[in-house]
Amino acid sequence: MAKINLKKISKEREYLLVADLAHEIWREHYAGIVSADQIEYMLGKFQSPSAIKAAVAGEGYEYYLIRKAFVPIGYAGVRPHHPQGKLFLSKFYILKECRGQGYARDVVAELSDMARRMRLTSIWLTASKKNASSIAAYGHLGFRQTGEVCSDIGNGFVMDDYVFELEV
């Protein structure tokens, strides 16, 4: 059975490690879903070490390394104190060679426990309407589609997403 642990990040080297994971995963996963220009723009805007650090320090986000036997295989970014009493799963990425092995289920179980401890009602996230593999994975994990959102992220780019939610 797959088993991971989540390690909350707080050190500069951990911000760098998450940014490195983001660069590797996003360039592989989003190719064909959004343009290479949009991938690079989003990496710089949202997943640089300074952007991650700013999200943690000033926006209430928490980032976690997803580790298997203490080896980083991905990362998750959450905002636990969402005004609607829900845990926002903003980032959830696993290295390609580690997908399909049950690690996502382990992460969702850990995040569900976290949400329950905080007396939150659900976990919610967004996924690109063109991201068929992630949409299928979220459905397999028990998330249900609850809406749609299109967000202008600047530089002429938008994120055209479905909204998913999992009750905890």
Side-chain angles (χ1 to χ4, degrees):
M1 177 180 179
K3 190 61 188 157
I4 54 86
N5 77 335
L6 298 180
K7 193 228 183 260
K8 188 174 179 179
I9 69 167
S10 62
K11 298 178 175 88
E12 193 66 34
R13 64 181 167 77
E14 294 168 330
Y15 295 124
L16 291 167
L17 178 55
V18 168
D20 286 345
L21 285 165
H23 282 71
E24 178 179 348
I25 295 167
W26 283 39
R27 287 182 178 127
E28 171 269 319
H29 185 75
Y30 284 112
I33 296 173
V34 297
S35 71
D37 288 343
Q38 184 168 344
I39 293 168
E40 296 308 315
Y41 173 76
M42 291 173 66
L43 284 169
K45 182 172 176 105
F46 302 118
Q47 295 300 272
S48 66
S50 60
I52 295 166
K53 192 173 185 176
V56 169
E59 299 174 38
Y61 283 86
E62 297 176 357
Y63 272 75
Y64 294 86
L65 284 169
I66 301 168
R67 302 185 309 176
K68 168 81 172 150
F70 299 100
V71 176
I73 63 166
Y75 69 99
V78 300
R79 191 171 66 202
H81 302 291
H82 192 270
Q84 298 159 346
K86 301 174 182 181
L87 180 79
F88 177 44
L89 178 53
S90 174
K91 309 289 185 287
F92 184 16
Y93 297 99
I94 296 175
L95 291 166
K96 182 178 182 175
E97 62 269 19
C98 297
R99 293 181 206 143
Q101 299 179 39
Y103 302 128
R105 186 165 301 286
D106 291 346
V107 172
V108 170
E110 290 287 326
L111 294 175
S112 294
D113 288 346
M114 178 191 298
R116 282 191 288 275
R117 284 192 306 272
M118 299 169 105
R119 299 180 192 264
L120 302 174
T121 60
S122 63
I123 300 170
W124 73 280
L125 57 86
T126 61
S128 171
K129 291 177 180 177
K130 296 178 182 177
N131 193 344
S133 63
S134 292
I135 289 169
Y138 293 133
H140 185 71
L141 292 167
F143 284 83
R144 62 182 177 80
Q145 184 184 331
T146 60
E148 300 179 17
V149 62
C150 188
S151 305
D152 182 342
I153 60 169
N155 211 37
F157 298 117
V158 297
M159 293 190 308
D160 190 14
D161 297 337
Y162 290 122
V163 177
F164 293 90
E165 191 166 338
L166 175 69
E167 292 183 18
V168 297

